[in-house]
C-alpha cells in the first residue's frame, strides 16, 4: 500500500516489520542471523534483550557444523544435550528459561541465513512443522522497520486534537548498555547497535500505532506524535515507556531522561516537518 503525501513530497510504503512477522506466526522470541563481512550477528530481533543481541557474534564454520541441514527445521529441547551448544548466544535471563530451540538455515543467491525461535517455559508450544518454510524465508528476507511515516495522517489527526511532539533518545540507553564494552571496537558493532535500535523502534511503533505517528529519519532518535487534547507530561510518558522497555533494556540504562516534549502544535505541516527531522 503506497500513499503519497503532498505536504512533504515523500512516499510512504507500508512494509512488514520483523515484529509483525513474529507476532503473525506466534513467535515470542526470535532472531535472524546474517553474515556481516567476517561474522554472523543478529540483524533482526524480537523479544530478545540487549545482552542476547550482544552475544550473537558467530562464525560460518559454527553454523555449518551445528546446522548441517538447510531448508528444514533443526529443533532441540532442553532434555537433549545438543541444546547447550547454543546457550552461548543467550543472556542468563533467557537461557535459563529455554525449553525448545528451532533453527532454520536457508540461502538466497548469495548468502546463508539462520533464523531461530526460542520457546521459553511460559510460551505456548509451537507447531513449526505446519509452517510453510518457503513463504517464511521469503517474508523474513523482506522484513524491514517502518522508520518512515505517512504524511497524510497528520492532517487527519489535527482535525481531532492538537499534536504533541516528543523525541525519544533511545540511543543513549543502548550506548549506556555497551559503555566500556570491547564490542564497540569491533567492525560489526554498528550492525549490533542497529539490531537493538530497530527492535526497540518496532516496539515503540506498534505501541503508538493507530492515529498516532512514529518515525526515525536520522536512525538515532525516535520521533513520536501523539494526538491528544491533553498533553502528557514528559515524566508520565517516560514512566510508561520505561515499563515497556525494561524487559529488553536493563533498568539502570533507562535511569536518565530519554524523552523530551519538543512542541505542541495544531498545524499538520509542522507535524510532518518534525517527523522528518526538520523542525
Amino acid at each position: 500500500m503506497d500513499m503519497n503525501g503532498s505536504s512533504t513530497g515523500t512516499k510512504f510504503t507500508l512494509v512488514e516489520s520483523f515484529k509483525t512477522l513474529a507476532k503473525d506466526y506466534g513467535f515470542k522470541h526470535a532472531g535472524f542471523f546474517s553474515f556481516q563481512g567476517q561474522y554472523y550477528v543478529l540483524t533482526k530481533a524480537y523479544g530478545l534483550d540487549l545482552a542476547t543481541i550482544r552475544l550473537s557474534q558467530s562464525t560460518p564454520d559454527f553454523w555449518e557444523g551445528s546446522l548441517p541441514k538447510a531448508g528444514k527445521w533443526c529443533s532441540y529441547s532442553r532434555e537433549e544435550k545438543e541444546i547447550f551448544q547454543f546457550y552461548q548466544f543467550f543472556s542468563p535471563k533467557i537461557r535459563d528459561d529455554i525449553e525448545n530451540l528451532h533453527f532454520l538455515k536457508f540461502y538466497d543467491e548469495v548468502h546463508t541465513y539462520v533464523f531461530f525461535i526460542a520457546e521459553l517455559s511460559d510460551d505456548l508450544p509451537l507447531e513449526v512443522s505446519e509452517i510453510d518454510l518457503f513463504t517464511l524465508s521469503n517474508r523474513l528476507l523482506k522484513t524491514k522497520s517502518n522508520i518512515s511515516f505517512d504524511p497524510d495522517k497528520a492532517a487527519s489527526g489535527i482535525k481531532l486534537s492538537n499534536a504533541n511532539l516528543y523525541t525519544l533518545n533511545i540511543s543513549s540507553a543502548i550506548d549506556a548498555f555497551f559503555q566500556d564494552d570491547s564490542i564497540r571496537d569491533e567492525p560489526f558493532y554498528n550492525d549490533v547497535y542497529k539490531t537493538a535500535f530497530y527492535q526497540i523502534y518496532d516496539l515503540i511503533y506498534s505501541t503508538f500505532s493507530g492515529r498516532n505517528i512514529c518515525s526515525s529519519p536520522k536512525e538515532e532518535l525516535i520521533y513520536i506524535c501523539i494526538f491528544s487534547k491533553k498533553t502528557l507530561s514528559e515524566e508520565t510518558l517516560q514512566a510508561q515507556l520505561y515499563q515497556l522497555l525494561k524487559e529488553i533494556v536493563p533498568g539502570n540504562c533507562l535511569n536518565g531522561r530519554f524523552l523530551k516534549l519538543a512542541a505542541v502544535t495544531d498545524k499538520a505541516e509542522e507535524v510532518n516537518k518534525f517527523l522528518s527531522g526538520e523542525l
Side-chain angles (χ1 to χ4, degrees), residues 8-194:
T8 62
T10 59
K11 186 176 181 180
F12 173 75
T13 302
L14 185 62
V15 296
E16 181 178 47
S17 69
F18 189 70
K19 179 181 187 294
T20 300
L21 179 146
K23 292 191 72 174
D24 186 42
Y25 281 99
F27 307 150
K28 290 192 173 182
H29 312 276
F32 186 83
F33 286 88
S34 60
F35 190 61
Q36 301 298 312
Q38 186 176 0
Y39 298 102
Y40 278 84
V41 295
L42 280 173
T43 52
K44 299 175 183 180
Y46 173 63
L48 304 177
D49 55 17
L50 292 191
T52 294
I53 295 172
R54 162 66 178 88
L55 295 169
S56 66
Q57 176 189 357
S58 48
T59 65
D61 288 343
F62 174 85
W63 292 115
E64 287 301 314
S66 301
L67 304 177
K69 295 180 181 180
K72 296 182 178 180
W73 287 114
C74 294
S75 299
Y76 306 97
S77 69
R78 179 187 290 271
E79 298 175 357
E80 300 178 30
K81 294 182 179 179
E82 290 91 343
I83 199 173
F84 299 126
Q85 66 180 308
F86 303 108
Y87 275 12
Q88 62 182 302
F89 299 120
F90 298 95
S91 69
K93 179 179 178 181
I94 293 178
R95 180 179 64 225
D96 297 340
D97 207 24
I98 294 175
E99 291 293 336
N100 299 290
L101 286 174
H102 307 283
F103 293 92
L104 174 65
K105 183 172 71 172
F106 64 96
Y107 310 92
D108 63 9
E109 293 82 0
V110 181
H111 300 294
T112 301
Y113 304 94
V114 176
F115 169 71
F116 80 86
I117 313 158
E119 288 185 64
L120 306 189
S121 57
D122 292 336
D123 297 344
L124 293 174
L126 294 168
E127 297 295 335
V128 295
S129 61
E130 298 178 1
I131 298 174
D132 184 296
L133 298 184
F134 180 78
T135 301
L136 174 62
S137 58
N138 276 309
R139 287 177 68 180
L140 284 167
L141 291 174
K142 294 176 182 177
T143 55
K144 186 178 180 181
S145 295
N146 289 289
I147 60 172
S148 59
F149 67 97
D150 174 11
D152 292 338
K153 287 184 71 175
S156 300
I158 286 295
K159 291 178 181 178
L160 301 174
S161 60
N162 286 342
N164 302 279
L165 309 178
Y166 300 87
T167 56
L168 177 60
N169 185 9
I170 201 62
S171 61
S172 63
I174 299 174
D175 287 339
F177 179 80
F178 289 110
Q179 186 178 12
D180 300 325
D181 192 319
S182 60
I183 194 176
R184 296 177 71 104
D185 299 323
E186 296 286 352
F188 57 85
Y189 173 69
N190 190 49
D191 299 295
V192 170
Y193 173 90
K194 285 184 177 181

Side-chain angles (χ1 to χ4, degrees), residues 147-149 167-171 190 193-194 197-198 201 214-223 273-279:
I147 60 172
S148 59
F149 67 97
T167 56
L168 177 60
N169 185 9
I170 201 62
S171 61
N190 190 49
Y193 173 90
K194 285 184 177 181
F197 180 87
Y198 289 130
Y201 178 85
C214 289
S215 70
S216 183
K218 299 177 181 178
E219 298 188 359
E220 68 178 22
L221 293 177
I222 297 175
Y223 294 73
K273 283 184 178 180
F274 170 76
L275 292 168
S276 300
E278 299 172 1
L279 189 63

